[in-house]
Amino acid sequence: MSFFQKEFVANSAAVRVRFGPGVRHDLGAEIDRIGATRALILSTPQQAESALTFAETLGGRAAGVFSGAAMHTPVEVSENAVDHAREIDADIIVAVGGGSTTGLGKAIAYRTDLPQIVVPTTYAGSEATPILGQTEQGRKTTLTDPRVQPEIILYDAELVATLPVGMTVTSALNAVAHAAEALYARERNPLSSALAVEGMQAFAAALPKVVANPADLDARGETLYGAWLCGTVLGQVGMALHHKLCHTLGGSFGLPHAETHAIVLPHAIAFNETAVPDLLAPVGAAFGGGPAGAALHRFATKMGAPLSLKDIGLAEADLDRAAEIATQNAYWNPAGIDRDGIRRLLDAAFHGRAPER
Ligand code: NAD
């Protein structure tokens, strides 16, 4: 099957990507390669020990460690980190972690234009995009800027092998969500569609192996490959209903990022499948056949993913307001968006039913 389109525009960022179990040990060489000498290592508080190990290994190239990264990149944390980077005269940022840590690195780069190396430990894919989401006084805003795009990514399967199985599954479905929505994006091009399908196929093949044996480094490597591809398409094309709903549920109701993506995905895709069944056919094919939404729901169930919003902290009384907020501002989506349709979608996701359509 070809993804040829009669007309398209394609933009690609210049990013150096290295894959391999143990590739993190070449971090020092990568820092030397771009001529930097004073690295600031970033992590969340939970991964502080890992950041310290990186600093020890880097020896004189490590100028400091900042382990305050937090979900949704709070601006006050970023400002503290920028002050710290200036105090220690850092000339490169090294982010070791998931989307939260990568987000902090991007926020520093946005304010200082320092180069970034990311060593991802989840499948969120932020390392492959020029997008930065930040929160200030409870409000999340998103910007796209070339300064934010990390220059180097080191994908090391040994690091992602410590990700607990539950987070592995939700993080993988978060990545699949980027690829599924990329297939009907207005800005899609043949390359973004091919990357999206390859990324989904990598997860469909390797995630069941990782769930069966989380220490399987070959399967971990293949899921990281999927994460890179899905993250790359996220950076190339715009997202629609699914990401909007997750943004609303995360931003206004404090629901956890990856879990929310995992639960909403089959429903949002089933909703849009009524408008663009042909564009979404590769999703169904990748995840076991049949309609895309139903196939994703079956796959998520088999992988042991959470299936209902009520299980991750949403109250039934919030559904009306969530539908209201998610339909307040007009945005492009392949299927027409109406409040009642979104309210029904959210109801199915709340109770963990299979998608309606
Ligand atoms: P996360 O980075 O918040 O990580 C969740 C928790 O898991 C953290 O405590 C972290 O320290 C821990 N963790 C991460 N990797 C681990 C590992 N291998 N072993 C053990 N523990 C580990 O979660 P996430 O889902 O990766 O990222 C979510 C954030 O990323 C959100 O804020 C989201 O908006 C953002 N994001 C941004 C983009 C973008 O392009 N800008 C893309 C995707 C996600």
Side-chain angles (χ1 to χ4, degrees), residues 44 46-47 71-72 98-101 106 121-122 124-126 129 131-133 140 159-160 162-164 167 174 178 234 257-258:
T44 59
Q46 293 80 3
Q47 289 176 288
M71 188 73 101
H72 303 310
S100 297
T101 306
K106 289 172 155 185
T121 65
T122 72
S126 176
T129 84
I131 306 165
L132 168 62
K140 184 162 179 174
L159 288 179
V160 88
T162 62
L163 193 64
M167 281 172 62
N174 179 195
H178 309 329
L234 174 67
H257 179 82

Side-chain angles (χ1 to χ4, degrees), residues 130-185:
I131 306 165
L132 168 62
Q134 320 188 77
T135 36
E136 192 163 23
Q137 289 161 354
R139 229 172 59 84
K140 184 162 179 174
T141 53
T142 301
L143 60 86
T144 300
D145 188 295
R147 273 174 296 180
V148 157
Q149 172 76 57
E151 282 76 2
I152 298 177
I153 312 173
L154 303 181
Y155 284 108
D156 188 331
E158 287 172 6
L159 288 179
V160 88
T162 62
L163 193 64
V165 171
M167 281 172 62
T168 293
V169 169
T170 53
S171 188
L173 292 170
N174 179 195
V176 168
H178 309 329
E181 286 224 292
L183 290 178
Y184 50 60

